[in-house]
Amino acid sequence: MLKKILISLAVICGACFTFIIWIKGLIPPQEQDFSNTTASELRYLQQGTDVKRGKVLAVVTSTEVMGNSTKSTGYELTELARPYYVFTANGFVVDIASPKGGKPPALIDKGDMGPFDYAFLNDREAQQKVDNSIPIDQVSAGDYQAIFFVGGKGTMFDFPDNTDIQTLVRDFHKNGKVIGAVCHGPAALANVTLDNGEPLIAGRQISAFTNEEELFLIPDAAQRFPFLLEDRLREQGAIFQSGPAYLEQVSVDGQLITGQNPWSTWLAAERMVEAMGYTPRPRQITPAEQTVELLLAYEQQGYEKAREKLQKLRDRKDLDRRLLAMHGMVSAMRWEPGKTLDIIRLLSKSQE
C-alpha cells in the first residue's frame, strides 16, 4: 500500500512539474529592449516643468542583508523609480533619504523593468540623489509636502524601530501632510505611536504586502523577518485591506495612502498627488497595468468579463503577456486548476 501511495504521489508531482514547465514555455521573451531609455524620450516626463509645487521625500532602506542570513536585500528599484517620476511630472521636486544615508542597496529584477525604470537608471540627476541619499536624521519635515516609504524587504529590518522615521511620521501626521507607502514600505508605520499613546494606524485603512503573498514567496518568512507585516499592522489596530495576490490594491484613508505590492505603485503615487490637492497629469497606462486590470476583472467578475475586456484592446502589445503567463504559473503552483486554465485561455486569446 505504501509503495502504491508513493508511486501515485510521484506521478502527481511529476505531472505538476511538467505542467509548470509547460506554462513557463508560454512566457514570451522580452520583445523590446528598454535598457537605453532616457527620461527625455518619455513624453509623460516632459510635464511638470511649468509648475513648482514643493518637495516630496522618498525614503528607502539601508539594509543590505536579510537578518542573520546571507541573502541580499534592499529597496525595490521599480517602487522608487515610478513614484519619483509621478511626483516629478506633477511638479514636485523629489529628495531621497535612507536611515544611513549615502548609497543604499537596490534590488533590480529585470523581468519587472520597463522604460520608466531604465530611464531612472540612466537619469544622472536621479542617480546623484540615490547615490547620496540624505541620512534620515538630517531631514527636516517642514521642507516637504509629503513623505513616501519605498518598499523592499530590507525595510522590515530598519524602518519599524527607527526613531527618526517615527518622529517624521508623527510630524507629517500632526500637520495634515500626506504619508504614503507601498508593499513593505508600510513597515515604517508599524510601531509609530501618537502623543496619546495610541498607534498611528489604529482604526485606519491600510494596505501592504500580505501574509499570503509573503509566505508564497518565502515559506519561512516568519522566521526570517522580525514579524509578518500584515500581522503587525493588524496588531496595531489597522483595518487591513487586501486585494487579490500580486494585483493592484491601494487604500486611501484621508492623508494616508498605502499600496499592497509593486503593482500598486503607480496608483498609490497618483493618489498621493490627489491627496496633496492636485489632479494627476494624464499618463498612458503601461502594458503591465493593463494586464493587472484584466486579471482584476477576472478575479472580480469572472472569465467572460475578462475575455470581453481583452477583446476590446486595440493592440495586443498593450498587454504584458509575460505577466499574464506568470500569474498562470503561480495559480498552477498554488494548485488552482480552474484559475490556471482560465488564465491560459486568456493568454491564448491574447496571441490571436
Side-chain angles (χ1 to χ4, degrees):
M1 177 64 72
L2 178 60
K3 184 176 180 180
K4 289 182 179 179
I5 292 174
L6 291 174
I7 291 173
S8 297
L9 287 173
V11 171
I12 293 172
C13 290
C16 291
F17 180 75
T18 302
F19 190 57
I20 291 171
I21 294 298
W22 177 65
I23 294 177
K24 279 187 174 182
L26 294 177
I27 302 176
Q30 188 76 41
E31 296 179 356
Q32 189 173 352
D33 181 10
F34 297 112
S35 60
N36 294 319
T37 305
T38 62
S40 62
E41 297 172 344
L42 302 173
R43 290 183 59 188
Y44 173 68
L45 302 185
Q46 307 317 308
Q47 305 175 97
T49 58
D50 56 332
V51 293
K52 301 299 179 186
R53 291 172 171 168
K55 300 171 73 175
V56 173
L57 182 69
V59 185
V60 300
T61 180
S62 294
T63 303
E64 298 184 42
V65 178
M66 288 177 56
N68 296 322
S69 72
T70 58
K71 186 174 178 59
S72 61
T73 187
Y75 71 89
E76 292 284 349
L77 183 129
T78 60
E79 295 174 28
L80 173 61
R82 297 168 190 183
Y84 180 93
Y85 282 137
V86 167
F87 298 139
T88 301
N90 282 280
F92 296 94
V93 173
V94 182
D95 286 343
I96 298 171
S98 65
K100 294 182 180 179
K103 186 174 182 178
L107 288 178
I108 300 176
D109 185 341
K110 291 186 178 180
D112 295 335
M113 297 279 283
F116 287 90
D117 310 304
Y118 282 110
F120 184 78
L121 286 178
N122 296 325
D123 187 327
R124 286 188 178 182
E125 181 178 350
Q127 291 306 302
Q128 176 73 11
K129 292 181 179 182
V130 171
D131 292 347
N132 299 277
S133 70
I134 306 166
I136 200 71
D137 62 1
Q138 296 180 19
V139 170
S140 173
D143 294 340
Y144 301 96
Q145 279 64 56
I147 189 169
F148 177 77
F149 293 100
V150 177
K153 293 178 174 58
T155 65
M156 296 288 287
F157 298 92
D158 63 356
F159 277 13
D161 296 317
N162 187 295
T163 57
D164 295 304
I165 285 178
Q166 293 172 356
T167 298
L168 281 174
V169 171
R170 277 192 291 268
D171 193 299
F172 275 78
H173 173 73
K174 286 179 182 178
N175 289 286
K177 294 182 179 180
V178 174
I179 300 169
V182 72
C183 200
H184 289 88
L189 313 175
N191 295 336
V192 179
T193 56
L194 302 177
D195 291 341
N196 61 7
E198 289 294 314
L200 169 78
I201 59 176
R204 308 292 297 276
Q205 296 176 1
I206 297 284
S207 291
F209 209 56
T210 65
N211 288 354
E212 178 187 8
E213 292 167 316
E214 196 80 88
L215 293 170
F216 177 76
L217 295 175
I218 308 177
D220 63 343
Q223 288 72 50
R224 292 200 186 192
F225 295 121
F227 51 82
L228 291 178
L229 184 54
E230 177 182 341
D231 286 350
R232 177 57 58 86
L233 297 175
R234 288 184 183 277
E235 289 166 4
Q236 294 280 306
I239 302 171
F240 194 86
Q241 297 186 315
S242 61
Y246 312 117
L247 294 178
E248 182 182 81
Q249 163 63 35
V250 172
S251 293
V252 178
D253 190 319
Q255 302 299 90
L256 180 62
I257 293 90
T258 48
Q260 179 171 317
N261 48 40
W263 297 274
S264 309
T265 304
W266 287 108
L267 182 59
E270 289 174 336
R271 289 289 183 268
M272 287 181 66
V273 172
E274 291 176 351
M276 286 186 278
Y278 303 100
T279 300
R281 301 276 191 168
R283 177 181 61 83
Q284 183 176 0
I285 70 170
T286 66
E289 290 176 282
Q290 190 78 261
T291 306
V292 167
E293 286 188 7
L294 177 69
L295 288 164
L296 280 172
Y298 170 77
E299 293 282 353
Q300 296 165 356
Q301 299 174 291
Y303 173 79
E304 287 302 321
K305 288 295 183 181
R307 183 181 62 80
E308 291 174 13
K309 186 174 184 64
L310 178 61
Q311 289 178 330
K312 291 178 182 179
L313 285 180
R314 295 180 181 178
D315 189 344
R316 293 297 187 265
K317 290 183 180 179
D318 290 338
L319 200 70
D320 186 339
R321 289 168 46 234
R322 297 177 71 254
L323 181 58
L324 187 59
M326 287 299 295
H327 271 267
M329 187 169 67
V330 168
S331 298
M333 293 171 68
R334 296 171 64 178
W335 194 242
E336 299 172 324
K339 183 176 179 179
T340 302
L341 291 174
D342 283 344
I343 293 178
I344 289 175
R345 291 164 68 192
L346 291 171
L347 182 62
S348 177
K349 288 189 175 297
S350 75
Q351 298 171 325
E352 294 176 357

